[in-house]
Amino acid sequence: MAHLTTPEQPWPLRLLSEKIGEYIAKMSRLWVEGEVIQLKRRAGSRIQFFTLADLEEKMTISCKIWSHNLPPTIGEGSRVIVAAKPDFWTGNGSLSLQVDEIRAVGVGDLLARMEQLKNKLAAEGLFDPAKKKPLPFLPRKIGLICGRNTQAMHDVVNNVHRRWAAATFEIRQVQVQGSGAVEAMIPALAELDAIEDVDVIILARGGGSVEDLFPFSDERLVRAAYATRTPIVSAIGHEPDSPVLDFVADFRASTPTDAAKNVVPDVGEEKLALSTTLRRGRIAVDNVLHRAQSELETLRARPVMAHPELMIDNRAEDLRGLHDWSASHIRRILDANASSLAGDLGRLRTLSPLSTLKRGYAVIRTEEGLVGSVAEVAAGSAARATLRDGDLDLRIEHVHTKG
């Protein structure tokens, strides 16, 4: 038994190979799915050899089958299901499959897988319209991934140049069908995405069967397209059953020709639109100028603009009227105030002591002030008498009181 081996008692390699062969020989016949690669039919040979691959996991295994059990429709790139029994050759320690039945994977199976992948990627948000990158109006350079010298390439290039003759391309002609197509397209996609002036990348193919287009539903290619910084245009040209790439692409074109129509503008249409815009602009400017001219003429026709001196004359007349009115008003006020002043002056003159003095009276003052009574002076004191035309210095000789 294997667990009884020790450094002192190891198995010979021959024994290990025999034990592995015995173990594998006990395995039952089973069904295995994969993609056929490296199938070269040998005419007249009873046995055909091919390699079955799982390209997603990068695993392969050699297979052999009786020639009469290998359908002519099976070829390289075919996805198949095989009924086989594992076989271990002890001579070189290689494992292979002895195939006794092989079936091509049906379209229904492929569509079911595509639908499962769509659901998976949609749940992850890879189809979210908000995450799609807008196409540039006029790309500096167009990246194109297509088959070698295919009609799809000519359709894209010719239609782009027909619409915009100055457009330039970065073209990668790679395998787009069968085994190895995904492995060829992913590096081409990464290479174009790394070129700074490539502003859009088109993956083009001129239609085909579901089996032919299955590489464009490969999860690895779809995720690589989603991860690019450059907008992706899917131009696979298969309407009934869209490849998964159509859903993750930033723009889906129905055909390569349709892709060309959407990645560059039509120079004729742009010239026509520019001419139309210029014409409309001129008309709009003319209308603005015409309205402005009409408004200016209307303003100039108004009296204030046609005869501006009238406004000055009117204001001068108003000013003269105001001047005359103010002069008259001031004279009336002065006359009224003069009459009032004359009356007040007459009354003041009547009440003034000078009027009394003119009638012969005098005002006597001493050093203490006005003398209003004989009791306020004494004999021998000095006083001053003020008359209407001067003063008299007096000395009081006698004081006479009325008894």
Side-chain angles (χ1 to χ4, degrees):
M1 301 295 291
H3 68 279
L4 297 179
T5 59
T6 65
E8 292 76 23
Q9 293 182 328
W11 275 0
L13 182 59
R14 171 189 54 77
L15 179 58
L16 173 62
S17 295
E18 290 176 357
K19 293 292 185 179
I20 294 174
E22 290 175 2
Y23 182 82
I24 292 177
K26 295 177 183 179
M27 292 182 66
S28 302
R29 179 175 178 269
L30 71 160
W31 290 92
V32 180
E33 179 184 356
E35 184 173 330
V36 175
I37 62 174
Q38 299 178 357
L39 170 59
K40 303 296 182 183
R41 293 178 183 269
R42 299 184 299 169
S45 176
R46 296 175 59 193
I47 298 178
Q48 302 294 333
F49 296 90
F50 64 92
T51 300
L52 194 64
D54 185 335
L55 297 180
E56 293 185 7
E57 301 297 335
K58 297 182 179 180
M59 296 179 178
T60 61
I61 190 169
S62 298
C63 302
K64 55 186 176 181
I65 186 173
W66 296 105
S67 295
H68 63 272
N69 287 336
L70 182 61
T73 55
I74 301 296
E76 290 187 354
S78 299
R79 294 197 64 85
V80 297
I81 300 174
V82 301
K85 194 171 186 313
D87 180 38
F88 183 76
W89 188 31
T90 58
N92 61 3
S94 61
L95 179 66
S96 63
L97 293 179
Q98 176 64 52
V99 179
D100 54 36
E101 187 177 352
I102 183 169
R103 301 177 186 176
V105 175
V107 173
D109 295 329
L110 294 178
L111 293 178
R113 293 179 189 176
M114 288 169 56
E115 194 63 30
Q116 291 175 358
L117 181 58
K118 287 179 188 177
N119 295 335
K120 174 184 175 182
L121 299 182
E124 295 180 19
L126 270 65
F127 302 161
D128 187 355
K131 297 181 180 179
K132 295 190 180 298
K133 301 176 282 293
L135 301 185
F137 172 72
L138 183 61
R140 291 171 292 176
K141 191 173 289 185
I142 302 169
L144 176 60
I145 298 175
C146 58
R148 294 179 177 84
N149 197 30
T150 58
Q151 185 61 41
M153 180 186 72
H154 296 300
D155 286 346
V156 172
V157 174
N158 292 340
N159 281 283
V160 165
H161 284 155
R162 189 176 296 115
R163 293 172 63 83
W164 199 273
T168 58
F169 283 88
E170 278 287 339
I171 301 177
R172 298 296 182 268
Q173 299 183 61
V174 298
Q175 182 181 347
V176 295
Q177 176 180 338
S179 174
V182 175
E183 288 76 9
M185 287 189 285
I186 290 178
L189 183 62
E191 183 178 349
L192 291 177
D193 188 44
I195 300 176
E196 183 179 357
D197 57 351
V198 170
D199 294 328
V200 64
I201 299 174
I202 303 173
L203 283 87
R205 177 185 165 87
S209 65
V210 175
E211 297 92 330
D212 293 339
L213 302 180
F214 195 69
F216 295 97
S217 294
D218 188 282
E219 184 174 356
R220 293 168 296 167
L221 177 63
V222 171
R223 291 190 181 277
Y226 177 78
T228 60
R229 64 165 183 85
T230 310
I232 300 295
V233 175
S234 175
I236 311 305
H238 192 269
E239 291 289 347
D241 302 300
S242 298
V244 180
L245 181 65
D246 282 353
F247 296 90
V248 78
D250 299 294
F251 181 83
R252 177 190 178 277
S254 57
T255 62
T257 300
D258 183 48
K261 292 180 179 179
N262 284 278
V263 296
V264 293
D266 184 274
V267 66
E269 293 177 359
E270 294 303 317
K271 287 181 178 179
L272 179 60
L274 183 59
S275 299
T276 302
T277 302
L278 287 174
R279 185 171 63 255
R280 290 177 177 174
R282 290 192 183 99
I283 293 173
V285 171
D286 289 343
N287 289 337
V288 170
L289 293 176
H290 179 72
R291 286 195 298 270
Q293 183 67 31
S294 298
E295 292 174 359
L296 181 59
E297 291 175 355
T298 301
L299 291 173
R300 292 178 62 186
R302 292 180 179 178
V304 70
M305 298 298 293
H307 303 285
E309 68 277 4
L310 292 178
M311 181 176 66
I312 298 175
D313 293 343
N314 292 336
R315 298 290 84 76
E317 184 66 27
D318 293 342
L319 185 59
R320 284 193 293 271
L322 288 172
H323 179 270
D324 294 343
W325 176 86
S326 62
S328 175
H329 188 67
I330 290 172
R331 281 195 298 272
R332 287 196 301 271
I333 293 174
L334 291 175
D335 292 343
N337 289 335
S339 298
S340 177
L341 183 60
D344 292 340
L345 183 59
R347 285 190 294 272
L348 285 174
R349 285 174 177 172
T350 302
L351 298 174
S352 173
L354 292 177
S355 297
T356 303
L357 294 177
K358 287 179 180 180
R359 294 197 298 270
Y361 291 94
V363 176
I364 299 174
R365 291 190 298 271
T366 64
E367 292 180 356
E368 285 78 13
L370 290 174
V371 178
S373 174
V374 294
E376 296 177 358
V377 295
S381 62
R384 174 170 287 186
T386 300
L387 291 82
R388 67 177 182 83
D389 55 355
D391 296 326
L392 296 176
D393 289 329
L394 304 176
R395 177 171 293 281
I396 306 300
E397 293 292 338
H398 300 283
V399 179
H400 301 277
T401 59
K402 292 180 179 182

